Amino acid sequence: MKEKKIIKNGYIVESLRNGMFRVLLVNQDIILCYISGKIRNSFIHILLGDIVKIEMSCYDSKKGRIIYRLHKNNK
């Protein structure tokens, strides 16, 4: 049986190496995320300030996977 995934929206606040990012969630938690394979293979660029969709496990709420780039947050 597959485990259920939690999907939330977040805001990219820091870019790390190897496709890792720090993402600020709506509830003010900062989690460590990596890019999913589909985004990596499609050469989609994720930059600071982008709003992304995150998939997290029920068991570890401090790590996640970026599954979709929603849009750029204009300041």
Side-chain angles (χ1 to χ4, degrees):
M1 187 166 144
K2 280 189 152 182
E3 70 178 72
K4 292 197 173 193
K5 301 287 185 178
I6 300 168
I7 296 181
K8 295 186 177 184
N9 290 342
Y11 177 79
I12 303 290
V13 293
E14 186 181 0
S15 176
L16 305 170
R17 42 171 98 160
N18 294 334
M20 302 285 282
F21 295 93
R22 292 209 193 277
V23 177
L24 177 68
L25 298 179
V26 176
N27 61 358
Q28 301 301 317
D29 286 343
I30 294 181
I31 63 170
L32 185 66
C33 294
Y34 65 93
I35 299 176
S36 70
K38 286 185 179 182
I39 292 178
R40 193 180 297 264
N41 289 340
S42 300
F43 300 107
I44 296 173
H45 295 286
I46 297 177
L47 304 171
L48 291 177
D50 285 351
I51 297 175
V52 292
K53 192 178 284 189
I54 305 295
E55 182 180 70
M56 299 185 320
S57 171
C58 298
Y59 303 112
D60 189 6
S61 63
K62 294 296 176 189
K63 293 182 183 173
R65 179 171 56 174
I66 299 172
I67 57 172
Y68 193 76
R69 178 181 174 227
L70 295 173
H71 57 81
K72 175 79 175 164
N73 189 9
N74 294 329
K75 290 184 177 181

